């Protein structure tokens, strides 16, 4: 789903809006509707959820319908989201896991939390090592590829990563998760 949203959302979409879009996409029902509890919104720790909602409404990915004292009702407008797998029960587990994995960065910076999630998703289930195309990670985080090294250094400083390195010949980035980046993935075929 991260990969799909990386191509569906405009490049300039902020990290907080991307995290909100991910939760909505993973939690939507078969009618592309989402009832996002405020507890989930609080867990996302967005400085301004109103700005993220506005940004996503403007992209055409979703339309906020209404809210009550417990949840925000959303209609997803991107029909391509309905073709994404896995099935809804697995997506709900993935949404919960994604929320916990992103928050493992223990920072108020949504970009660092989104980057943490992108890297943890690409880390082998039984390992703390991962590798991916640098361009893919940058696109999922909504940053230019030239900004990726700085972002990875911030993750090292936050102890989400132990180390990272870029291979110039393959344009890949590899990393080793630190103690704050380790979270077992849910039993889902493809959380990406």
């Amino acid at each position: 789903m991260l990969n799909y949203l990386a191509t569906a959302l405009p490049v300039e979409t902020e990290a907080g809006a991307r995290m909100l879009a991910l939760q909505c996409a993973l939690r939507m029902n078969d009618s592309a509707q989402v009832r996002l509890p405020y507890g989930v919104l609080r867990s996302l720790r967005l400085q301004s959820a109103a700005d993220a909602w506005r940004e996503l409404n403007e992209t055409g990915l979703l339309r906020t319908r209404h809210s009550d004292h417990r949840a925000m009702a959303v209609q997803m407008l991107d029909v391509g989201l309905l073709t994404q797998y896995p099935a809804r029960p697995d997506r709900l587990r993935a949404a919960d896991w994604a929320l916990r994995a992103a928050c493992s960065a223990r920072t108020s910076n949504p970009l660092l939390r989104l980057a943490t999630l992108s890297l943890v998703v690409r880390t082998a289930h039984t390992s703390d090592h991962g590798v991916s195309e640098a361009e893919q990670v940058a696109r999922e985080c909504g940053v230019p590829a030239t900004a990726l090294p700085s972002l990875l250094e911030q993750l090292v400083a936050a102890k989400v990563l132990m180390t990272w390195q870029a291979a110039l010949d393959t344009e890949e980035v590899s990393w080793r998760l630190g103690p704050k980046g380790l979270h077992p993935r849910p039993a889902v075929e493809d959380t990406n």
Side-chain angles (χ1 to χ4, degrees):
M1 195 60 75
L2 281 171
N3 188 31
Y4 181 84
L5 290 172
T7 58
L9 291 170
V11 174
E12 64 275 3
T13 304
E14 295 288 330
R18 288 174 183 277
M19 290 178 56
L20 187 56
L22 178 65
Q23 286 297 313
C24 288
L26 289 172
R27 294 174 187 273
M28 72 178 183
N29 64 20
D30 293 342
S31 300
Q33 296 176 346
V34 182
R35 191 168 184 281
L36 199 61
Y38 284 120
V40 170
L41 290 172
R42 279 190 300 277
S43 295
L44 286 171
R45 298 187 324 224
L46 300 176
Q47 295 279 334
S48 175
D51 288 344
W53 285 121
R54 180 188 43 73
E55 189 173 2
L56 291 173
N57 274 291
E58 289 173 2
T59 67
L61 181 76
L62 57 78
R63 181 179 66 243
T64 52
R65 294 177 28 224
H66 65 277
S67 62
D68 58 29
H69 65 282
R70 290 177 290 203
M72 175 70 79
V74 177
Q75 177 68 51
M76 302 302 289
L77 302 176
D78 185 331
V79 294
L81 288 170
L82 291 172
T83 64
Q84 301 302 304
Y85 296 100
R88 188 163 192 244
D90 290 334
R91 283 188 288 116
L92 290 173
R93 280 192 294 280
D96 180 57
W97 173 84
L99 191 60
R100 286 184 281 115
C103 290
S104 69
R106 300 202 192 286
T107 176
S108 61
N109 184 332
L111 179 56
L112 292 181
R113 292 195 318 268
L114 181 60
T116 297
L117 178 60
S118 179
L119 297 176
V120 171
V121 162
R122 286 180 170 66
T123 302
H125 185 65
T126 58
S127 174
D128 62 352
H129 291 81
V131 64
S132 183
E133 292 179 21
E135 182 64 35
Q136 178 66 33
V137 174
R139 191 174 62 224
E140 287 179 359
C141 295
V143 299
T146 56
L148 191 58
S150 173
L151 182 57
L152 295 172
E153 284 300 323
Q154 291 176 57
L155 291 174
V156 169
K159 298 187 185 337
V160 172
L161 298 180
M162 294 287 281
T163 61
W164 71 273
Q165 67 182 41
L168 298 177
D169 57 336
T170 62
E171 297 181 0
E172 290 182 331
V173 63
S174 60
W175 60 88
R176 182 170 175 218
L177 292 177
K180 294 184 180 179
L182 292 174
H183 282 278
R185 280 185 278 175
V188 178
E189 288 294 315
D190 182 18
T191 58
N192 198 18

